[in-house]
Amino acid sequence: MPNIKSAIKRVNVNKKKNEINKSAKSEVKTALKKLNALIAAGDVAACEASFKEVCSILDKSVAKGIMHKNTAANKKSGFALKINALKA
């Protein structure tokens, strides 16, 4: 444990930020798993509704700096391909 006041503060701030980031990452992973489950079930209408929510969550995670924009774009593109394959 640090002795200097500013170092103690940095430890506390980093702990708080770590918890916030962990929570946000967990939210993203949960949303992706739910969408994957819907795609596996083959429910097109539910997939499209969930896809909009997932896109929103991914965009928010990019804005917060939790995920790189290309990673989010790659995930959105992959899910769009899977959903379009279900429609056909």
Side-chain angles (χ1 to χ4, degrees):
M1 192 72 190
N3 295 323
I4 299 167
K5 188 176 180 182
S6 62
I8 292 170
K9 184 176 180 180
R10 290 302 331 148
V11 168
N12 291 333
V13 168
N14 286 338
K15 256 188 229 175
K16 214 180 292 184
K17 291 294 262 180
N18 187 19
E19 290 172 10
I20 291 168
N21 287 340
K22 194 181 292 184
S23 167
K25 284 180 188 177
S26 176
E27 181 187 6
V28 170
K29 288 178 185 177
T30 302
L32 295 177
K33 286 178 189 175
K34 285 181 183 177
L35 183 55
N36 269 329
L38 288 174
I39 290 172
D43 189 1
V44 177
C47 283
E48 288 178 340
S50 181
F51 179 65
K52 288 180 183 178
E53 292 174 22
V54 168
C55 285
S56 174
I57 291 170
L58 288 172
D59 290 338
K60 287 176 187 174
S61 71
V62 168
K64 292 176 186 175
I66 293 164
M67 181 181 285
H68 194 273
K69 64 180 182 177
N70 290 352
T71 304
N74 189 14
K75 291 192 183 298
K76 287 192 281 188
S77 174
F79 281 122
L81 287 172
K82 289 179 183 177
I83 292 170
N84 288 336
L86 280 179
K87 289 180 191 177

